[in-house]
Amino acid sequence: MKKLSIIFIFLFAVTIHAQSSVAGYVGVGRSAFDFDDFQMKPENQAGYVPIGVQITLGDGMLQFGADASFSAVPFAFEVEQSGTKIGEVQITQLFLGGFLRVNIGNEAIQPYAKAGGGAYMGKLKWEPESAYKAFAPADEEDFKTAFGFYIAAGVDFKIGKTIAIFAEIPFHIVKRKLDLEDVDDDDNPSFTANNFAVNAGIRILFR
């Protein structure tokens, strides 16, 4: 609930001024992480389920807007030792940012490209298998707020004067670092936490 409150407060602050569309979406995504500098090295990449809202401002070919999304189902990486699963690393992603959108084509079917950036937040949770709880107990740590960017391509399908459905593929580029107390920053390596998704949603249009 706390994360959703942050999202709605952020979006309300933007919509006070102006808006041309508001959208909600859900998707399926996949990590493209690089764990070379990370202590626990998962065997494979993991999927996640993002949910989010967008506000797009302006009209015509160029628009700008705000985007907020959260991993409703987090990344879940299995960690193995000698072929045996010893636990799972769960990583959440909360993104708050802005974007520039370039529209292409006609109003009925409108492809577009986007580029944006903003703040990435979240947590890391370690869940060991029962046999390993004594050696590596469960733990949870916050990530430091990181600034990254994303690129996306999508298409709107207008189904009425005020409603459109859309599909969008964003690719997020960001480095994450845990917010560890009493650990020198040089001893706290960051890791590449890139990820992508295929999202679909409904857009309400204002004229």
Side-chain angles (χ1 to χ4, degrees), residues 44-66:
N44 299 296
Q45 299 292 338
Y48 76 113
V49 175
I51 58 173
V53 287
Q54 297 175 358
I55 295 173
T56 304
L57 311 173
D59 210 350
M61 181 178 177
L62 293 178
Q63 295 178 303
F64 65 96

Side-chain angles (χ1 to χ4, degrees), residues 9-91:
I9 291 171
F10 170 77
L11 292 173
F12 179 74
V14 176
T15 54
I16 288 174
H17 300 287
Q19 61 186 30
S20 59
S21 72
V22 176
Y25 63 87
V26 64
V28 291
R30 189 78 175 166
S31 66
F33 288 17
D34 184 351
F35 281 102
D36 285 346
D37 295 323
F38 204 67
Q39 186 176 1
M40 291 180 289
K41 294 180 172 56
E43 296 296 317
N44 299 296
Q45 299 292 338
Y48 76 113
V49 175
I51 58 173
V53 287
Q54 297 175 358
I55 295 173
T56 304
L57 311 173
D59 210 350
M61 181 178 177
L62 293 178
Q63 295 178 303
F64 65 96
D67 195 346
S69 64
F70 178 68
S71 53
V73 176
F75 303 97
F77 300 91
E78 290 188 358
V79 179
E80 297 183 357
Q81 190 175 69
S82 302
T84 301
K85 181 182 176 182
I86 63 172
E88 186 175 83
V89 174
Q90 297 179 4
I91 292 177

Side-chain angles (χ1 to χ4, degrees), residues 26-171:
V26 64
V28 291
R30 189 78 175 166
S31 66
F33 288 17
D34 184 351
F35 281 102
D36 285 346
D37 295 323
F38 204 67
Q39 186 176 1
M40 291 180 289
K41 294 180 172 56
E43 296 296 317
N44 299 296
Q45 299 292 338
Y48 76 113
V49 175
I51 58 173
V53 287
Q54 297 175 358
I55 295 173
T56 304
L57 311 173
D59 210 350
M61 181 178 177
L62 293 178
Q63 295 178 303
F64 65 96
D67 195 346
S69 64
F70 178 68
S71 53
V73 176
F75 303 97
F77 300 91
E78 290 188 358
V79 179
E80 297 183 357
Q81 190 175 69
S82 302
T84 301
K85 181 182 176 182
I86 63 172
E88 186 175 83
V89 174
Q90 297 179 4
I91 292 177
T92 60
Q93 176 174 283
L94 170 64
F95 171 74
L96 300 175
F99 60 83
L100 177 67
R101 168 173 159 157
V102 180
N103 296 316
I104 307 165
N106 59 44
E107 289 190 358
I109 301 175
Q110 189 169 73
Y112 61 86
K114 287 168 57 178
Y120 292 79
M121 294 160 275
K123 294 179 180 290
L124 180 147
K125 186 177 183 180
W126 163 246
E127 286 285 353
E129 294 291 290
S130 56
Y132 294 90
K133 286 184 177 179
F135 306 100
D139 193 14
E140 185 175 276
E141 298 286 351
D142 289 325
F143 281 106
K144 291 185 175 182
T145 299
F147 292 92
F149 63 96
Y150 76 95
I151 55 176
V155 59
D156 284 351
F157 299 93
K158 198 171 180 180
I159 57 176
K161 290 184 177 181
T162 59
I163 298 178
I165 58 175
F166 71 96
E168 184 175 290
I169 302 175
F171 187 86

